């Protein structure tokens, strides 16, 4: 991870939050216990070829049964914030009435966290839509936005006395474009018209939930959304066609969500790019006012950027901007309206996901968000996810020395965050993805993002070198020089 001088020691402000993040479906298991019913991901896992080697979420990291030990582990590592998601399919199975047992799990989790001095950060939707709603069209159905707001308010009313940090949606780009156009995530469809409908209804659901929760909130509650960003750069910065390509990718990943939320309107160029897919026809009176309901914090998920070129400049087979599927299911480029734009590979190191390691992209992203969106809105950002999968090689005790890859990746990205803060970006915390190895969606258990190894045979948790190091960073609010 080149770019930052790793020989310096950097101090973060005492109030800067160091924590970790997970998501319900990726760690909990217990998929049919205590009244939980199928989510769209349980159904998708059963589709042959959808998930690596047919893996599913029925056991995962067994967090549902090991929650107190997992919280104790976070405390041992000195992490002050824990971002988790609540499972809609557990709390309102089939989207019917509230399931007290499902809600009780999260209530106990929150108590356990607070008992260890860890601040809970609750995400209401990390992709596990009840399958009963999926069968009615899921997010392509406008009604799902209203069902989401109902669910959000019920969870808020039950936990608002103990949880101050609330996120409506995790990465709506994934639950719309990657899921309904790319075919990669549940429900695994490849229809651009579905994807734009889902994107708008997710935004509407965010706005409706935020409005409802705001009415029930006090001044100490912080409401927000988490978006995943790419940093699109033109392959030839002097070439108009490449600049245009980068603008389109920025539009279809970033501005399509940022502008409605922060400015109350879709960008004109995005509406134009997605005209054929029919984005505009889903927008009704007042939708954009609801979507622009003020938030208190922006969650930033960053993994990598993309170098892009206009097709005429880089002829060859159409390239997938994200990653290629070798699983035989129908796949499509998720960049609706910009399918022909090429991603140009760079000579950068890559993670096990094949994603380019580009920490300076995070610095530029934070400064851009500060200037154009969060600064004018007067709100802070928090890195709600950043981290990396590598092909871990455990020793006989299960210990993974990831100091050369995952640890270096996190170090470089924290240096990028620090540098952005020096230049004026208001960032209040960093939550590493992820606490534990977990179910990496279409890649099943094959890709490991944890700073703590999970032995899926014994369910033993073994902190990797990165976890030991991150604990020292968190305890000292200091990034030491890397040897
Ligand atoms: C995020 N992409 O997913 C999610 O929030 C996590 O649940 C996930 O485990 C993590 O990042 C690592 O993948 C993404 O294709 C999945 O661009 C795919 C993409 C981006 C984010």
């Amino acid at each position: 991870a080149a770019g930052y001088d790793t020989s310096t020691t950097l101090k973060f402000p005492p109030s800067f939050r160091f924590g970790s993040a997970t998501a319900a479906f990726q760690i909990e298991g217990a998929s049919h216990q205590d009244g939980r019913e199928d989510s769209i991901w349980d159904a998708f896992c059963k589709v042959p070829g959808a998930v690596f080697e047919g893996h599913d979420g029925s056991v995962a990291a067994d967090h549902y049964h090991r929650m107190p030990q997992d919280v104790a582990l976070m405390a041992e590592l000195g992490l002050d914030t824990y971002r988790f998601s609540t499972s809609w399919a557990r709390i309102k199975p089939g989207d019917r009435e509230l399931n007290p047992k499902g809600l009780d799990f999260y209530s106990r989790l929150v108590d356990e966290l607070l008992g260890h001095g860890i601040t809970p950060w609750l995400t209401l939707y990390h992709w596990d839509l009840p399958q009963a709603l999926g069968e009615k069209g899921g997010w392509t159905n406008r009604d799902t936005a209203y069902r989401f707001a109902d669910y959000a308010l019920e969870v808020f009313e039950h936990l608002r006395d103990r949880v101050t940090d609330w996120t409506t949606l995790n990465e709506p780009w994934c639950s719309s474009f990657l899921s309904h156009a790319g075919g990669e995530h549940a429900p695994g469809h490849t229809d651009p018209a579905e994807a734009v409908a889902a994107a708008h209804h997710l935004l509407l659901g965010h706005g409706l939930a935020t409005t409802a929760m705001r009415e029930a909130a006090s001044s100490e509650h912080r409401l927000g959304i988490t978006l995943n960003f790419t940093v699109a750069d033109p392959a030839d910065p002097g070439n108009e066609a490449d600049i245009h390509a980068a603008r389109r990718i920025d539009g279809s990943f970033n501005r399509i969500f940022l502008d409605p939320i922060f400015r109350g309107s879709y960008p004109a160029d995005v509406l134009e790019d997605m005209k054929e897919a029919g984005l505009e026809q889903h927008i009704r009176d007042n939708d954009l006012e609801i979507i622009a309901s003020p938030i208190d914090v922006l969650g930033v998920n960053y993994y990598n950027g993309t170098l892009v070129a206009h097709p005429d400049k880089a002829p060859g087979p159409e390239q997938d901007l994200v990653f290629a599927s070798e699983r035989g299911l129908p796949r499509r480029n998720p960049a609706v309206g910009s399918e022909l734009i090429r991603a140009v590979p760079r000579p950068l190191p890559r993670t096990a996901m094949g994603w380019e390691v580009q920490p300076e992209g995070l610095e530029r992203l934070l400064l851009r968000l500060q200037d154009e969106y969060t600064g004018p809105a007067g709100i802070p950002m928090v890195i709600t996810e950043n981290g990396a999968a590598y092909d871990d090689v455990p020793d006989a005790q299960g210990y993974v020395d990831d100091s050369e890859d995952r640890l270096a990746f996190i170090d470089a990205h924290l240096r990028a965050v620090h540098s952005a803060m020096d230049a004026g970006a208001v960032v209040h915390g960093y939550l590493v993805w992820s606490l534990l190895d977990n179910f990496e969606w279409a890649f099943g258990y094959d890709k490991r993002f944890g700073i703590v190894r999970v032995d899926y045979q014994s369910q033993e948790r073994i902190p990797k070198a990165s976890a030991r190091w991150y604990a020292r960073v968190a305890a000292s609010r200091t990034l030491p020089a890397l040897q």
Side-chain angles (χ1 to χ4, degrees):
Y4 292 93
D5 176 7
T6 58
S7 71
T8 56
T9 300
L10 298 179
K11 279 232 152 265
F12 283 84
S15 61
F16 193 83
R17 298 163 75 161
F18 281 101
S20 67
T22 64
F25 192 78
Q26 295 181 271
I27 62 165
E28 286 179 1
S31 55
H32 292 100
Q33 210 177 317
D34 294 337
R36 186 186 177 283
E37 289 181 15
D38 274 355
S39 72
I40 56 172
W41 267 95
D42 295 274
F44 190 54
C45 288
K46 293 186 191 121
V47 177
V51 176
F52 176 81
E53 290 187 355
H55 293 174
D56 64 34
S58 56
V59 179
D62 197 33
H63 171 71
Y64 192 76
H65 299 113
R66 293 163 198 269
M67 179 272 284
Q69 296 94 300
D70 287 341
V71 174
L73 174 61
M74 290 174 223
E76 258 173 60
L77 296 174
L79 307 182
D80 59 68
T81 302
Y82 175 53
R83 172 176 179 253
F84 62 95
S85 76
T86 51
S87 163
W88 189 346
R90 207 181 274 296
I91 292 178
K92 273 171 90 74
D95 189 45
R96 292 184 307 269
E97 68 285 2
L98 208 84
N99 171 26
K101 281 187 182 164
L103 195 59
D104 183 59
F105 172 72
Y106 300 104
S107 180
R108 285 187 284 117
L109 167 60
V110 166
D111 284 342
E112 200 71 32
L113 289 165
L114 294 174
H116 283 84
I118 300 168
T119 305
W121 182 304
L122 191 155
T123 298
L124 287 155
Y125 186 70
H126 201 125
W127 310 347
D128 43 1
L129 184 74
Q131 170 64 2
L133 285 177
E135 280 163 15
K136 293 182 193 154
W139 288 104
T140 68
N141 181 349
R142 185 178 168 93
D143 184 58
T144 298
Y146 294 87
R147 303 279 70 77
F148 173 68
D150 290 347
Y151 150 74
L153 184 60
E154 281 185 281
V155 179
F156 189 75
E157 282 172 341
H158 279 86
L159 299 177
R160 69 181 158 191
D161 58 331
R162 287 164 289 153
V163 178
T164 52
D165 295 292
W166 293 79
T167 294
T168 52
L169 306 175
N170 177 69
E171 302 189 350
W173 181 84
C174 288
S175 25
S176 52
F177 294 101
L178 198 58
S179 303
H180 290 273
E184 181 75 35
H185 281 187
H189 297 176
T190 52
D191 181 352
E194 276 194 20
V196 295
H200 182 70
H201 297 147
L202 280 153
L203 278 168
L204 180 62
H206 156 76
L208 290 166
T210 302
T211 312
M213 285 157 55
R214 183 71 69 193
E215 266 183 43
S218 75
S219 60
E220 72 189 18
H221 290 109
R222 288 178 290 263
L223 313 181
I225 186 168
T226 280
L227 303 176
N228 59 311
F229 295 100
T230 194
V231 175
D233 291 312
D236 174 355
N239 179 281
E240 276 305 320
D242 288 357
I243 294 169
H244 181 69
R247 174 194 60 71
R248 290 178 72 122
I249 295 305
D250 178 51
S252 70
F253 270 75
N254 306 328
R255 288 183 289 115
I256 187 176
F257 298 106
L258 284 166
D259 281 48
I261 292 166
F262 285 93
R263 298 175 179 169
S265 59
Y266 283 102
D269 62 315
V270 172
L271 283 175
E272 186 59 32
D273 290 349
M274 299 196 184
K275 198 173 196 147
E276 208 182 312
L279 173 57
E280 203 147 8
Q281 77 198 38
H282 302 288
I283 309 170
R284 299 201 192 158
D285 286 353
N286 299 324
D287 281 5
L288 282 153
E289 278 161 47
I290 294 165
I291 293 167
S293 163
I295 54 174
D296 307 309
V297 58
L298 176 66
V300 175
N301 288 4
Y302 175 81
Y303 290 92
N304 63 302
T306 331
L307 192 68
V308 296
H310 187 272
D312 297 346
K313 293 259 340 299
E318 184 175 321
Q319 254 205 37
D320 199 294
L321 274 169
V322 183
F323 37 65
S325 165
E326 273 142 40
R327 293 169 295 109
L329 275 191
R331 289 290 319 280
R332 207 181 169 285
N333 188 315
V336 168
S338 301
E339 286 86 349
L340 290 175
I341 292 170
R342 305 278 192 275
V344 182
R346 290 173 284 198
L348 291 171
R350 287 171 186 267
T351 70
M353 299 297 284
W355 298 348
E356 293 173 347
V357 179
Q358 192 203 347
E360 60 80 28
L362 177 56
E363 177 175 352
R364 282 192 285 137
L365 171 67
L366 292 171
L367 288 170
R368 185 258 183 123
L369 291 171
Q370 177 72 34
D371 281 352
E372 296 181 23
Y373 297 98
T374 58
I379 65 167
M381 295 176 272
V382 167
I383 313 301
T384 40
E385 283 182 30
N386 172 247
Y390 284 101
D391 295 322
D392 292 337
V393 183
D395 70 12
Q397 280 71 49
Y399 176 73
V400 172
D401 180 0
D402 58 355
S403 44
E404 300 285 312
D405 45 50
R406 190 175 290 102
L407 186 160
F409 181 101
I410 299 168
D411 174 80
H413 286 79
L414 278 170
R415 287 176 191 277
V417 173
H418 195 278
S419 187
M421 289 166 70
D422 272 350
V426 180
V427 185
H428 283 186
Y430 176 94
L431 311 179
V432 69
W433 185 271
S434 180
L435 177 69
L436 303 171
D437 289 337
N438 60 51
F439 176 80
E440 178 50 32
W441 307 111
F443 297 87
Y445 300 97
D446 188 46
K447 299 287 181 255
R448 293 172 177 269
F449 275 88
I451 57 170
V452 173
R453 181 174 179 84
V454 173
D455 175 329
Y456 291 114
Q457 250 65 58
S458 65
Q459 289 293 348
E460 197 186 342
R461 274 75 164 133
I462 308 145
K464 304 175 191 177
S466 54
R468 297 283 170 226
W469 167 86
Y470 191 59
R472 290 197 300 275
V473 173
S476 60
R477 266 29 185 194
T478 302
L479 203 55
L482 273 196
Q483 295 65 72

